[in-house]
Amino acid sequence: AKSQGLGSAVEFSQDIGLQVRERSHLLRDLRMAFDESQLFLTYQPKVELATGRVVGAEALLRWRRDDGYLVPPDRFIPVAEQSGLIVGMGSWLLQIALLALQRFRAAGFPNMHMAVNVSPVQLRQTGFLAVVQETLRQTQSEASALEIEITESVAVGGLEPVIEILTRLREMGSTVAIDDFGTGYSSLSYLERLPADRLKIDRSFVQSLERDDHGSRIARTIIALGRELGLTIVAEGVENETVGRLVTALGCAEAQGYHYGRPMSEEQFLEWLQVHQK
Ligand code: C2E
Ligand code: CA
Ligand code: CA
Ligand code: CA
């Protein structure tokens, strides 16, 4: 039993060595990808459930390697966050996303907003607000055209500075969405204390509504809580009409998901808008 224990300890440290090496390769490749324009954005529509009208889009980052392989964001974004690369990437993609929004708005959707995912490191970076203001000015966008999506992990490292930044963003006229609530180290008090406009219900909870299992009770509870706090509730990952009806009945005002539209290139999104004009 003793040698077995030692053996698995050796294996374990080899695993970690492998992970560290993979990570550093990934980071090297990611820096190169950023320099060589292998990164691009896709846009997913967000619709108002009562009318089916498009209210906004969420910008989702993509990395297509030279060999055509799409690296999943869940793999490379943590590496970008830990290395700090996310800060530069985040400023770049904010500009791209707001320029795309100008085109969407000009195509007959003048009230659409663009939601951009912002990592905790990026949000806490000194100068974040200045970058946002400068980018809004450069792209001639109204502050209200921009929504910042944050996750509850922003709370790690202290809530006070985060509350300050989010308050300033909202004073400027931008909106804030809390993403993936309930999937991490949630605290109900974060939900109450974070200055926000929207609450996005993670697709794992949304999809469980159809199965009516444990997750669906969590979904119902989070929706009820969010409504109580006066937040606009957005259901994520709606893949069929049944779930669309369920979330509407539970009081979600807006939804995103393959049932309405997948993440699309800027050109595809413009075409999608024409077809879905209401
Ligand atoms: P998220 O912000 O929760 O984004 C929603 C994810 O759900 C996206 O995955 C989207 O493609 C996917 N999705 C949307 N509708 C459906 C559906 O109906 N069914 C299913 N199965 N999936 C759906 P994606 O694009 O792979 O992004 C994964 C995560 O990566 C995002 O989760 C976000 O946390 C992060 N991410 C993506 N882009 C950025 C970015 O620009 N900056 C930062 N900081 N994070 C980003
Ligand atoms: Ca998001
Ligand atoms: Ca989410
Ligand atoms: Ca997520």
Side-chain angles (χ1 to χ4, degrees):
K2 203 172 182 184
S3 68
Q4 203 187 348
L6 190 63
S8 55
V10 171
E11 262 173 48
F12 180 67
S13 70
Q14 280 172 342
D15 274 0
I16 290 186
L18 194 68
Q19 280 173 25
V20 169
R21 255 194 324 281
E22 271 178 9
R23 239 163 215 280
S24 73
H25 285 173
L26 198 62
L27 176 59
R28 184 200 59 198
D29 290 353
L30 183 56
R31 282 191 208 284
M32 198 185 67
F34 188 30
D35 292 341
E36 294 183 356
S37 329
Q38 290 175 13
L39 301 181
F40 60 98
L41 290 178
T42 57
Y43 305 94
Q44 185 177 36
K46 190 192 291 180
V47 302
E48 184 177 57
L49 282 162
T51 59
R53 273 202 308 256
V54 57
V55 291
E58 177 178 2
L60 292 159
L61 190 56
R62 293 288 176 268
W63 173 11
R64 195 191 305 280
R65 286 195 328 214
D66 271 346
D67 59 9
Y69 177 71
L70 268 175
V71 186
D74 290 329
R75 275 206 70 206
F76 72 82
I77 284 169
V79 174
E81 286 176 339
Q82 278 152 28
S83 62
L85 195 58
I86 195 76
V87 175
M89 268 167 44
S91 307
W92 164 80
L93 72 84
L94 181 62
Q95 182 162 30
I96 306 287
L98 286 174
L99 288 173
L101 182 65
Q102 295 304 327
R103 292 186 67 199
F104 301 161
R105 286 188 153 205
F109 299 84
N111 298 318
M112 266 186 68
H113 68 258
M114 180 62 73
V116 173
N117 293 285
V118 173
S119 295
V121 247
Q122 200 188 342
L123 188 80
R124 287 170 179 278
Q125 180 84 9
T126 346
F128 173 71
L129 284 169
V131 167
V132 170
Q133 276 167 324
E134 179 59 17
T135 311
L136 288 169
R137 197 188 57 78
Q138 272 178 10
T139 59
Q140 298 181 323
S141 309
E142 300 154 36
S144 61
L146 176 66
E147 178 151 287
I148 298 293
E149 293 196 5
I150 53 152
T151 63
E152 57 204 324
S153 61
V154 289
V156 178
L159 217 50
E160 290 308 325
V162 170
I163 291 175
E164 166 90 33
I165 294 162
L166 298 181
T167 302
R168 302 247 329 255
L169 275 168
R170 294 179 79 213
E171 281 167 2
M172 281 163 47
S174 296
T175 51
V176 172
I178 301 174
D179 204 0
D180 298 352
F181 186 82
T183 62
Y185 296 94
S186 307
S187 155
L188 293 185
S189 79
Y190 298 162
L191 199 54
E192 205 244 310
R193 292 180 62 200
L194 286 172
D197 303 278
R198 286 186 169 81
L199 179 65
K200 302 186 77 175
I201 312 296
D202 190 70
R203 70 166 183 266
S204 60
F205 298 133
V206 168
Q207 291 173 353
S208 71
L209 286 171
E210 208 175 14
R211 300 189 297 270
D212 201 26
D213 58 11
H214 177 65
S216 82
R217 286 196 292 276
I218 297 181
R220 288 168 202 272
T221 306
I222 298 177
I223 293 168
L225 191 66
R227 291 184 68 188
E228 189 68 31
L229 294 170
L231 299 166
T232 299
I233 315 294
V234 187
E236 282 193 313
V238 176
E239 293 184 357
N240 59 53
E241 202 174 332
T242 309
V243 174
R245 281 213 205 90
L246 285 169
V247 295
T248 309
L250 289 174
C252 292
E254 297 169 355
Q256 255 177 277
Y258 297 168
H259 178 57
Y260 308 100
R262 292 188 175 245
M264 293 169 264
S265 71
E266 188 177 328
E267 297 307 322
Q268 287 170 329
F269 196 98
L270 280 166
E271 280 167 32
W272 184 94
L273 282 175
Q274 295 319 313
V275 176
H276 290 82
Q277 192 124 36
K278 284 224 170 76

